[in-house]
Amino acid sequence: MLIIGERINATRKRIREAVLDRDAELIRVEARRQVAAGAQMLDCNGGVEGREPECLAWLVTIVQEAVDVPLCLDSADPEALARALPLCRRRPLINSVTDERARLAAVLPLVREHGADVVALCMSEAGTPRGVDDRVATAGRLIEAIAGYGIEPGKIWIDPCVFPISTGAEHGPAVLGAVRRIREIHPGAHTTAGVSNVSFGLPVRKLLNKTFLTMLIGCGLEAAIVDPTEEGLVAGIHAAEALAGRDDYCVAYLEAYRDGTLGAPTAALQAGAAR
Amino acid sequence: MLIIGERINATRKRIREAVLDRDAELIRVEARRQVAAGAQMLDCNGGVEGREPECLAWLVTIVQEAVDVPLCLDSADPEALARALPLCRRRPLINSVTDERARLAAVLPLVREHGADVVALCMSEAGTPRGVDDRVATAGRLIEAIAGYGIEPGKIWIDPCVFPISTGAEHGPAVLGAVRRIREIHPGAHTTAGVSNVSFGLPVRKLLNKTFLTMLIGCGLEAAIVDPTEEGLVAGIHAAEALAGRDDYCVAYLEAYRDGTLGAPTAALQAGAAR
């Protein structure tokens, strides 16, 4: 399971201010915190109106000063990507393209040129997807269109497009079913999801986020854009991976237990003793 | 989601002693605690060697003094069932039969006579199941055999038979896949699972139990035999139900939030304010 940390995103007020003020230390702290919590890749979103190319390039430079993980360049702006891509020390993931000819034509030559991976979001000219079939059809078209640019399926990460369940009970099963079907039909491509969107508008969001993520792992999801610092999220991933048959002899689960990732056993015992 | 509380089980030392000592108050406390935590049905296991019929009957009487929920009679002993069934005030669930002719012939006439529901565990004369196909085939044979006794599919709860993942990484996916397939093939029957077995032999069992349960809900599981007092388990059920599209407008989720079942919202708000 590839854990992509979502916190360095300029649509969040605190990050936006840090980007505008060039507060490098705040960004470095966010980068280190996420990697310490279990992120294996960090999303960087420098989406400040009119200044995205310089802001994304600055973020990439600063984050790489702090941590040594590949980056997920969260931008649909070809100019921002063209400027950020050459700065990446490790193979990046570009997030994202949709099934829209103009966006594919603007971004995929850059993906190809830099040997990057790409997130293919199940949205099309017709707009946002509605159910399982719609998502599966869009995924198929996207894989074909991306292949047309000489990019192999193994570099494609299909994102089924997660909507808030507060806006419709059908959105959860649609994404779960789509991940399962896309994995069956396109075993050569990968799947990812921006999980946190599912809980928008509801209380105790972290409970919904971690629960949805474990359900998605049960459907075969291979990567997720999440906040790894949310309580219990990475522990839930370790449990779900073992339960989904992806962790032979529970080696990773037991290692996570020993290093305290599953909830500090010592702290729990101390709390018990103090009661 | 039908939550069946598993704690009143004489294979547990504390319960066994209470049953042998006729410690009614301890049993009543266990019954009330589980219902307060969210159990909608209570499993009663009076499996004390040579004394099961009197012990199960005693448990049924005592538990019904404390709470008003239907009971799950956890016994394969026809004599114990024959004695306990007439004592049940609400329609009970009998746990369980397997695909073994002698066991079916001994138990199903009682199920029929008392209008009970029955758990059909995916085990056969050949022993324990190995993968998805094996479980699905056994489920089909069980539904057919039980129908032969005049019991309709709507009263049958298929249990795919959960094994500890510590004994094989394949056991998790086998159960997840079986629940999904059995729901597709036999939509008229129900599914249930004894979830806690999955974590046997591993640390932080409650994390594995609640994670597996939410993954199973994503596959369509309709009931589970669990310990509802385990931290986060019932909260996880509420989240998973909403995410699986079974909770229109998140009504049950929001109600659980307001009554504190999802974790104390006040404490979370205070922690947020302190940041």
Side-chain angles (χ1 to χ4, degrees):
Chain A
M1 180 78 187
L2 175 65
I3 305 174
I4 307 170
E6 73 185 6
R7 295 180 56 88
I8 302 178
N9 189 317
T11 64
R12 295 176 57 206
K13 185 164 174 283
R14 210 156 146 265
I15 300 297
R16 183 191 186 78
E17 288 170 1
V19 169
L20 291 172
D21 300 345
R22 296 290 188 263
D23 182 350
E25 191 48 27
L26 186 144
I27 300 298
R28 284 191 288 253
V29 167
E30 282 287 7
R32 284 190 210 106
R33 264 185 79 198
Q34 292 184 91
V35 171
Q40 295 143 337
M41 181 182 268
L42 293 184
D43 192 83
C44 292
N45 179 314
V48 177
E49 186 72 25
R51 299 180 54 184
E52 190 173 351
E54 47 154 313
C55 290
L56 183 61
W58 180 76
L59 275 179
V60 165
T61 304
I62 299 304
V63 170
Q64 290 184 135
E65 286 173 11
V67 294
D68 183 30
V69 297
L71 303 183
C72 177
L73 303 181
D74 188 354
S75 173
D77 177 350
E79 194 192 329
L81 291 171
R83 191 152 157 193
L85 274 163
L87 302 173
C88 292
R89 286 197 212 128
R90 300 180 63 167
R91 191 174 87 202
L93 173 61
I94 291 180
N95 181 18
S96 61
V97 294
T98 56
D99 185 28
E100 294 166 277
R101 298 294 134 175
R103 288 185 66 175
L104 293 169
V107 171
L108 291 179
L110 289 164
V111 173
R112 175 77 199 281
E113 181 190 341
H114 293 272
D117 281 24
V118 64
V119 174
L121 184 66
C122 290
M123 285 180 63
S124 66
E125 319 269 3
T128 54
R130 260 163 301 195
V132 173
D133 293 345
D134 200 4
R135 286 173 166 86
V136 172
T138 305
R141 286 197 309 272
L142 274 162
I143 291 169
E144 204 185 316
I146 296 171
Y149 286 83
I151 298 160
E152 68 257 37
K155 295 199 145 190
I156 304 172
W157 297 76
I158 302 288
D159 181 332
C161 198
V162 173
F163 291 132
I165 55 161
S166 57
T167 64
E170 70 280 11
H171 294 321
V175 169
L176 294 167
V179 167
R180 197 178 298 142
R181 288 263 302 283
I182 290 165
R183 291 280 291 147
E184 279 165 18
I185 301 172
H186 305 289
H190 302 293
T191 50
T192 186
V195 171
S196 311
N197 208 28
V198 82
S199 60
F200 185 80
L202 289 169
V204 203
R205 292 188 65 178
K206 63 175 194 267
L207 171 65
L208 291 163
N209 295 345
K210 74 181 173 186
T211 304
F212 198 47
L213 181 52
T214 60
M215 294 165 86
L216 283 164
I217 291 172
C219 295
L221 191 79
E222 298 159 281
I225 303 176
V226 292
D227 180 352
T229 70
E230 278 185 4
E231 183 198 333
L233 188 119
V234 172
I237 291 174
H238 283 294
E241 293 260 280
L243 294 160
R246 297 183 190 174
D247 179 14
D248 280 340
Y249 307 106
C250 303
V251 169
Y253 181 83
L254 290 168
E255 195 183 309
Y257 168 65
R258 282 189 296 264
D259 74 17
T261 304
L262 306 186
T266 317
L269 289 171
Q270 285 169 346
R275 243 178 249 141
Chain B
M1 180 78 189
L2 175 65
I3 303 173
I4 308 170
E6 73 184 7
R7 293 179 57 89
I8 301 176
N9 188 317
T11 64
R12 293 175 57 205
K13 186 166 174 282
R14 212 159 144 263
I15 300 296
R16 184 192 184 79
E17 288 171 0
V19 169
L20 290 172
D21 299 346
R22 294 292 189 263
D23 182 350
E25 191 49 26
L26 186 144
I27 300 298
R28 284 190 288 253
V29 167
E30 282 287 7
R32 286 188 209 107
R33 265 186 77 198
Q34 291 184 91
V35 171
Q40 295 143 337
M41 180 182 268
L42 293 184
D43 192 84
C44 292
N45 179 315
V48 177
E49 187 69 26
R51 298 180 56 185
E52 189 172 351
E54 46 153 317
C55 290
L56 183 60
W58 180 78
L59 275 180
V60 165
T61 304
I62 300 303
V63 170
Q64 289 184 134
E65 285 173 10
V67 293
D68 183 32
V69 297
L71 303 182
C72 176
L73 303 180
D74 188 354
S75 173
D77 177 348
E79 194 192 330
L81 291 172
R83 193 153 156 193
L85 274 163
L87 303 173
C88 292
R89 289 195 208 126
R90 301 180 63 168
R91 189 174 87 202
L93 173 61
I94 291 179
N95 181 19
S96 60
V97 294
T98 56
D99 185 29
E100 294 167 278
R101 299 293 132 175
R103 289 185 66 174
L104 293 168
V107 171
L108 291 179
L110 289 164
V111 173
R112 173 76 200 280
E113 182 190 341
H114 293 272
D117 281 24
V118 63
V119 174
L121 184 65
C122 290
M123 285 180 63
S124 67
E125 319 268 3
T128 54
R130 260 163 301 195
V132 173
D133 293 344
D134 200 5
R135 287 173 165 87
V136 172
T138 305
R141 286 197 308 271
L142 274 162
I143 291 170
E144 204 186 314
I146 296 170
Y149 287 84
I151 299 160
E152 69 257 40
K155 296 199 145 189
I156 304 172
W157 297 76
I158 302 288
D159 182 331
C161 199
V162 173
F163 291 131
I165 55 160
S166 56
T167 64
E170 70 279 14
H171 294 320
V175 169
L176 294 167
V179 167
R180 197 178 297 142
R181 288 265 300 283
I182 291 165
R183 291 280 291 146
E184 279 165 18
I185 302 172
H186 306 287
H190 302 291
T191 50
T192 186
V195 171
S196 312
N197 208 27
V198 83
S199 60
F200 184 80
L202 289 169
V204 203
R205 292 189 64 177
K206 63 176 194 272
L207 171 64
L208 290 163
N209 295 345
K210 75 181 172 186
T211 303
F212 199 47
L213 181 53
T214 60
M215 292 165 87
L216 284 163
I217 291 171
C219 296
L221 191 80
E222 298 160 279
I225 303 176
V226 290
D227 180 351
T229 69
E230 278 185 1
E231 182 198 335
L233 189 119
V234 172
I237 292 174
H238 284 293
E241 293 259 280
L243 293 160
R246 298 183 189 174
D247 179 13
D248 280 340
Y249 307 105
C250 303
V251 168
Y253 181 83
L254 290 168
E255 195 183 309
Y257 169 66
R258 283 188 296 265
D259 74 17
T261 303
L262 306 186
T266 315
L269 288 173
Q270 285 168 344
R275 241 178 252 141

